[in-house]
DNA sequence: TATGAATGAGGTTTCATTCAT
DNA sequence: AATGAATGAAACCTCATTCAT
């Protein structure tokens, strides 16, 4: 890879980070290209050198965030610990992302509100993959007799649904810290699959 | 109440229903007054005869849906049955709403950073009331030794979050009927509070 | 004239009065038909029974105000007093209207901003008549050797211009009462024509 | 100052001139952003690149015109001539402005209940300064026994009001040239303060 | 006569996008 | 690679006007 390409990628990454920040703060519609550019002391015109359009930029934000999260989840799956412990750690990871990357995660949750059909599909694929990791830990946990339930898919939906909901009410100033939440959620959600 | 007033209210209700539908599909920002009006074969100008502005219209959407749902839940709380059974029925009711009145009920879910502080408060109050009914059944269930958990609020959030999530994937053509879902969810969620 | 016609005229008059009030407060564009009707506990639809459109209504406001003022001016002209005294009284009258019927008078001053060509002409006629009364008192005053100037038309324009300007700064809470202004203006403006 | 900044300012000035023209012709409410832009073969959207909103644009119109006029008047005050002569020249200047820069100068005249209090104040300040120059020449003229009146402020208002009024009727094709008017007005208005 | 309801033209504003430089 | 400037579509909102009842 040439130096110029490297520079290009670095710049793209910077822009994505800025976009993630703004979109998380304001939501997709309210986040303007101008503000995203302003954060980096650029002008909005420049963004179009790096990204085809706003949708494309935000799409790449997702890819980044979600692939990061997926990676983390996978690492937990590969650790040498009990399935319960694996699931605990995956829950903690998901909660962290849901809180810290709130709006970006939100777009993954309701992508059809944001993306055109063309870009919808790749997102659904990543999303499906992501959910699949939870399916796997549950299924394998059942196979190893750590979990007992009959409907692993529905259990997974309960897990993800309840964790995604955290966004609706969580506030850093609220009563519980993120760490506490991670623990309590893990405790209670493990009960579901046990 | 005069006939004309009744008619006015009916029309307002129609508009609200249309608005709920569009807003749920598209989100607050993407839902346009024109589309909301078009659904009813009206023109956007007419909406302003009934509602002060877009915010006001959407606000009344929230208000209506929430207060209606609250009423239904309360009836279950007053039945003479065990707390577990009360909770099962409330879960069934909530799921039924979430599925059959999907678009209407969805409103509860989105708090939207849209509302001016003036209108945000009344919404939060009703929302709080609704959630409070679940809190109550859990707390009282604990007092009667039917449930055992230490964090009833978080349990409630897990319950509501997981149920609201059903909307994201449920389809009548899918594998499970609503009745099956109601049962499985009740089974799994009761485990959380037990 | 039949009773019903009388009633009609009376209602029209009421509406005109309301319109004058609102237009004076807000100006032509900001005064809405709804507000004009509201003042009389009517709905705006009703106004169209009495007036062809907003322009027509406001046009009749003018006619009323200006014909009233003209009448007053004429009465002063016919009093048996010196021309200086006649002019003093006319000045007082004009100032009073300029202050108390501020916006209506304003429309007479700049009618082309408000009226379509069709209605512009009648207004210009009345306006011309009105100014003519000042011309007359000055010309006759010169004929009777009370005044001495060579350019009566320009003097008249100075008089009217300076008085119309009062609107720009006069406030009831200001330092001088209307009565004081009437006197000082008369004193100073008489100097112009002397 | 960089070239680009200069260009920006020039464009802003062009827009201001266009706005002044339209607003004077139609008044604040009737002047549309589209028309103002159209005059310069631009689209209304572009105006928002240069000005925050309509109010801001019109505000800057006022500001510009007023400060420019003030500067010119001040030079006369500093000449070494009698106060009567100073006043004559200031009158001539004001009339010239009112006639030759009719549309630009007209802005001084309309205070429009349009501006938010925030923007109204700076305008009133400059306006006050401008008028203050006439006040000064009259007051100092009194101090030097050239003038005799007791109400210098009101005299000033008569002067400005009558001169501003010229715009309402003056036409180059009319009977009197501007130079004649300047002389006659000076003659008659000096009588007011003598 | 009066009105409730609807309309639609027209206005302001926002902002993603384009493009010459 | 970047930007300043312009654009235009689309959104919200206002309000004079119409008309069936």
């Amino acid at each position: 890879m040439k130096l110029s390409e490297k520079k290009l990628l670095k710049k793209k990454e910077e822009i994505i980070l800025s976009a993630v920040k703004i979109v998380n703060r304001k939501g997709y519609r309210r986040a303007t290209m101008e503000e995203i550019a302003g954060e980096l002391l650029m002008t909005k015109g420049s963004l179009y050198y790096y990204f085809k359009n706003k949708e494309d930029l935000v799409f790449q934000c997702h890819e980044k965030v979600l692939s990061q999260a997926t990676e983390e989840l996978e690492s937990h799956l590969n650790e040498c610990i009990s399935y319960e412990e694996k699931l605990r750690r995956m829950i903690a990871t998901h909660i962290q992302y849901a809180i810290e990357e709130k709006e970006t995660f939100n777009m993954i949750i309701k992508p059809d509100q944001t993306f055109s059909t063309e870009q919808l599909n790749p997102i659904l694929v990543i999303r499906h993959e992501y959910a699949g990791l939870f399916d796997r830990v549950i299924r394998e946990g059942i196979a190893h007799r750590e979990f007992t339930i009959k409907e692993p898919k529905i259990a997974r939906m309960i897990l993800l649904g309840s964790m995604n909901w955290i966004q609706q009410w969580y506030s850093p100033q609220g009563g519980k810290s993120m760490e506490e939440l991670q623990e309590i959620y893990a405790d209670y959600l493990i009960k579901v699959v046990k």
Side-chain angles (χ1 to χ4, degrees), chain A:
Chain A
M1 189 190 296
K2 279 184 258 155
L3 182 65
S4 64
E5 280 181 46
K6 242 185 183 162
K7 254 177 140 178
L8 186 90
L9 284 180
K10 204 183 143 213
K11 194 86 192 178
K12 279 183 100 167
E13 183 120 352
E14 270 175 46
I15 296 172
I16 288 176
L17 282 180
S18 168
V20 166
K21 206 190 295 186
I22 308 288
V23 170
N24 275 333
R25 203 151 52 216
K26 303 227 178 175
Y28 179 75
R29 297 287 281 192
R30 293 181 112 108
T32 69
M33 293 299 266
E34 197 150 26
E35 202 173 355
I36 292 167
E39 186 94 359
L40 299 166
L41 306 179
M42 303 166 76
T43 58
K44 58 182 167 179
S46 315
L47 298 185
Y48 289 85
Y49 180 77
Y50 298 95
F51 299 93
K52 208 169 114 265
N53 52 31
K54 190 183 181 184
E55 195 184 345
D56 180 36
L57 167 55
V58 176
F59 171 69
Q60 296 200 28
C61 289
H62 278 126
E63 258 189 335
K64 189 182 165 49
V65 170
L66 202 41
S67 65
Q68 246 178 35
T70 304
E71 226 172 278
E72 278 196 48
L73 283 199
E74 275 170 342
S75 77
H76 291 315
L77 255 175
N78 295 330
E79 290 178 81
C80 282
I81 45 180
S82 73
Y83 286 94
E84 178 178 333
E85 187 56 30
K86 283 179 186 180
L87 182 52
R88 291 189 80 91
R89 293 187 187 178
M90 288 167 76
I91 286 170
T93 297
H94 187 95
I95 287 177
Q96 183 195 340
Y97 272 94
I99 284 176
E100 289 181 355
E101 310 279 349
K102 183 178 169 186
E103 274 293 338
T104 319
F105 239 53
N106 228 347
M107 282 183 263
I108 297 167
I109 292 173
K110 302 204 177 186
D112 50 323
Q113 276 176 21
T114 308
F115 295 102
S116 61
T117 18
E118 190 188 347
Q119 299 201 299
L120 198 54
N121 237 7
I123 293 208
L124 293 181
V125 168
I126 316 183
R127 193 177 141 164
H128 187 256
E129 260 172 49
Y130 184 88
L133 295 177
F134 277 91
D135 282 341
R136 228 179 88 196
V137 76
I138 294 173
R139 269 202 328 271
E140 295 180 1
I142 295 173
H144 287 75
R145 320 261 158 162
E146 286 193 37
F147 307 143
T148 65
I149 47 167
K150 296 222 176 86
E151 299 281 356
K153 287 238 152 112
I154 288 186
R156 180 254 290 166
M157 282 160 176
I158 287 176
L159 263 56
L160 288 178
S162 59
M163 290 190 288
N164 291 335
W165 185 247
I166 293 177
Q167 297 182 358
Q168 302 296 324
W169 52 266
Y170 177 78
S171 142
Q173 283 84 40
K176 296 249 184 294
S177 71
M178 188 180 79
E179 288 74 18
E180 288 174 299
L181 284 180
Q182 288 172 320
E183 198 161 331
I184 301 171
Y185 265 74
D187 287 344
Y188 287 2
L189 292 178
I190 292 289
K191 287 164 95 174
V192 170
V193 292
K194 276 280 187 181

